[in-house]
Amino acid sequence: MATSDPTIVSTTSQRVVTDERVEAPVVLTDSPPRPLRFFDQFAMWANLGISLFGPLTGALIAATTGSVWTAIAAIVLGCGIGAALLGTSAVFGATTGVPAMVSLRGLLGRRASVVPTLLNIGQNIGWATMEIIVIATAATAIVGDAWRWPFVLLAGAVATAMAVRPLGSVRLLRKVMVWLVLVASVVLFVQVLIRPAGEISQDAVLGFWPAVDLAVAGVVSFAPLAADYSRHSRTRRAAFWGSALGYGLAAVAYYTLGVLAVAHLGATDVLGALIALPAGAVALSILLIDEVDEAFANVYSTTMSIQNLAPNLDRRVVAVAVGVLATLLAGLLDFGQYQSFLFLIGSVFVPLFAVAAADFLIVSKGRWDVSESSRLRWAPVVAWAGGFVVYQLINPGMVPGWSSSWVELASAIGFVAPSWLGSSVAAIGVLGPADGAAGTPSVVPRPPTFARCATPGRRLAASPQSPDNPV
């Protein structure tokens, strides 16, 4: 008997597991329970979107555009594009029942999926490290530099503990944190807006589309994580709208807060300016607590990516190891090169998930072979590589050595991008449909032999698929 959403299937021999007390399976070969409703996922993604990185990104967008309203327009457009890709990426997990990097076997094939898996492991460890750094940096701005290492260790320990019990952590975010951060957010917005607006510096203005790229990259940086959580969604609709609306709206709000902080507070140190506001330290303290969920998400998704390479590893052991590594890196490294880091992430994952969305929705009709025997598919691989090249030619970023080599290549081949064309727009608007036109579908080797929502502990016998419309 099917539910109103055709994603979820139950049989007389296998029941849908939706008990809220269940936890995620510890190895890849165990089927995931499906307890997460729309609001569970909306609250989780909203919490992830409400981040101390949001105002920092907003400040970068303000500097890139030199105008409040142009910056807000770039934020709305960029976050909308990113949220659509994020939501579609969540549908991958809700449909296949496997983590994000495992689902990419259906796009690229088993062996080729190792490439984005390794990149995602590196990205997630980097993001977890930077989240812990920004927590410790903001905390020491409130209580003093002597507390940096204690906050690093505390943030790392809490994030790791949450990664060991991910579904329990999602329930905590839904029941408690979403309401606390909502109050803190209102306080910050009111305190910023009651101050008169000033002029934004024009020294670093690059234009509208580079600002859109920043917003897109910030949101799409979570697309490689989405299926790790949406595989536990009761329906595909809940997975899509929960992630797209939750993260998209929160990102718009907090990027905009950064823009307004630059305009109304004249801030170069955005976090410092927000802390200095009346009740700002209290509001930022709440956000500091909430910020740990970002580190948790990256630690947990690192473990899920590693399971694409070693499916029988206990994710709890891996989570502890990854959490310790990120904590040590956060204690030893300084914050820097954030804008370049965002652009470089976008150059890899924006075209990848544009191609994935087009292939999943148009070419493969939601039927991906995510088994160990899934074959290499050249059309998506070539489209992804082409998107990466186009992104770099238009926006090579500012990583020393890397960016200059792309500038030289563009000059050598006579490539000059139109001033209105952003690298994300080019990668999404051209390369994704190109795969849709040229690709051949992922062939499912045989019908699935288990329900997508099987009892925890039941072994996976084949890749789960749905013949229905994936959204």
Side-chain angles (χ1 to χ4, degrees), residues 180-193 254 257 283:
L180 291 177
V181 298
L182 181 60
V183 172
S185 301
V186 171
V187 169
L188 291 175
F189 269 95
V190 170
Q191 290 294 327
V192 169
L193 289 173
Y254 267 69
L257 178 62

Side-chain angles (χ1 to χ4, degrees), residues 41 86 118 159 171 184 223 241 250 276 341 345-346 372 393 401 432 435 441 463:
Q41 294 170 87
L86 178 65
L118 294 174
R171 292 190 287 272
W241 292 110
F341 188 52
I345 292 171
E372 286 281 348
L393 289 173
D435 175 66
S463 62

Side-chain angles (χ1 to χ4, degrees), residues 201-271:
S201 172
Q202 304 296 302
D203 294 342
V205 172
L206 298 175
F208 177 76
W209 289 109
V212 172
D213 287 330
L214 268 174
V216 171
V219 178
V220 173
S221 66
F222 273 91
L225 286 66
D228 298 334
Y229 308 94
S230 64
R231 66 192 291 234
H232 302 291
S233 177
R234 291 194 177 193
T235 70
R236 287 176 293 191
R237 292 183 182 90
F240 179 87
W241 292 110
S243 57
L245 289 179
Y247 196 93
L249 292 175
V252 167
Y254 267 69
Y255 292 0
T256 300
L257 178 62
V259 172
L260 296 176
V262 172
H264 289 258
L265 305 179
T268 53
D269 177 6
V270 173
L271 294 182

Side-chain angles (χ1 to χ4, degrees), residues 82-459:
L85 284 178
L86 178 65
T88 304
S89 301
V91 173
F92 301 164
T95 302
T96 63
V98 296
M101 293 301 105
V102 180
S103 73
L104 290 181
R105 296 176 183 179
L107 177 71
L108 305 172
R110 169 66 179 87
R111 293 184 178 180
S113 73
V114 171
V115 176
T117 297
L118 294 174
L119 291 172
N120 199 42
I121 290 170
Q123 172 188 234
N124 285 332
I125 292 174
W127 273 112
T129 299
M130 295 187 75
E131 292 291 351
I132 297 173
I133 289 173
V134 80
I135 290 169
T137 301
T140 54
I142 298 173
V143 299
D145 291 339
W147 289 88
R148 182 176 184 275
W149 263 105
F151 275 106
V152 166
L153 295 174
L154 179 61
V158 174
T160 302
M162 293 175 70
V164 172
R165 290 187 57 84
L167 295 184
S169 299
V170 171
R171 292 190 287 272
L172 174 65
L173 295 176
R174 180 198 68 194
K175 294 178 179 179
V176 180
M177 289 310 303
V178 68
W179 307 111
L180 291 177
V181 298
L182 181 60
V183 172
S185 301
V186 171
V187 169
L188 291 175
F189 269 95
V190 170
Q191 290 294 327
V192 169
L193 289 173
I194 61 176
R195 285 157 174 76
E199 296 294 326
I200 296 178
S201 172
Q202 304 296 302
D203 294 342
V205 172
L206 298 175
F208 177 76
W209 289 109
V212 172
D213 287 330
L214 268 174
V216 171
V219 178
V220 173
S221 66
F222 273 91
L225 286 66
D228 298 334
Y229 308 94
S230 64
R231 66 192 291 234
H232 302 291
S233 177
R234 291 194 177 193
T235 70
R236 287 176 293 191
R237 292 183 182 90
F240 179 87
W241 292 110
S243 57
L245 289 179
Y247 196 93
L249 292 175
V252 167
Y254 267 69
Y255 292 0
T256 300
L257 178 62
V259 172
L260 296 176
V262 172
H264 289 258
L265 305 179
T268 53
D269 177 6
V270 173
L271 294 182
L274 293 175
I275 291 171
L277 293 171
V282 175
L284 262 293
S285 297
I286 294 173
L287 295 182
L288 275 177
I289 298 171
D290 181 64
E291 191 74 15
V292 177
D293 65 9
E294 306 262 348
F296 138 67
N298 287 288
V299 172
Y300 177 64
S301 287
T302 302
T303 70
M304 292 294 95
S305 296
I306 290 173
Q307 283 194 333
N308 187 37
L309 308 177
N312 292 317
L313 283 180
D314 187 323
R315 64 163 180 80
R316 297 167 297 186
V317 176
V318 179
V320 171
V322 172
V324 169
L325 175 61
T327 302
L328 291 176
L329 290 175
L332 300 173
L333 298 180
D334 293 324
F335 180 83
Q337 293 293 326
Y338 179 56
Q339 187 177 26
S340 299
F341 188 52
L342 275 179
F343 276 129
L344 192 55
I345 292 171
S347 68
V348 175
F349 288 104
V350 169
L352 173 61
F353 280 88
V355 171
D359 187 273
F360 188 82
L361 298 174
I362 299 171
V363 179
S364 297
K365 306 295 185 184
R367 294 181 60 84
W368 272 355
D369 175 14
V370 297
S371 69
E372 286 281 348
S373 60
S374 57
R375 297 180 179 179
L376 176 66
R377 300 178 60 211
W378 280 108
V381 171
V382 172
W384 177 28
F388 175 78
V389 170
V390 169
Y391 196 110
Q392 289 299 315
L393 289 173
I394 297 173
N395 184 4
M398 293 179 288
V399 177
W402 175 270
S403 58
S404 60
S405 64
W406 285 100
V407 171
E408 293 171 1
L409 176 60
S411 177
I413 64 177
F415 178 84
V416 179
S419 59
W420 53 266
L421 183 62
S423 49
S424 296
V425 173
I428 294 170
V430 177
L431 275 303
D435 175 66
T440 56
S442 175
V443 178
V444 182
R446 64 175 181 263
T449 59
F450 67 98
R452 276 182 295 282
C453 303
T455 305
R458 190 180 298 277
R459 295 289 170 174

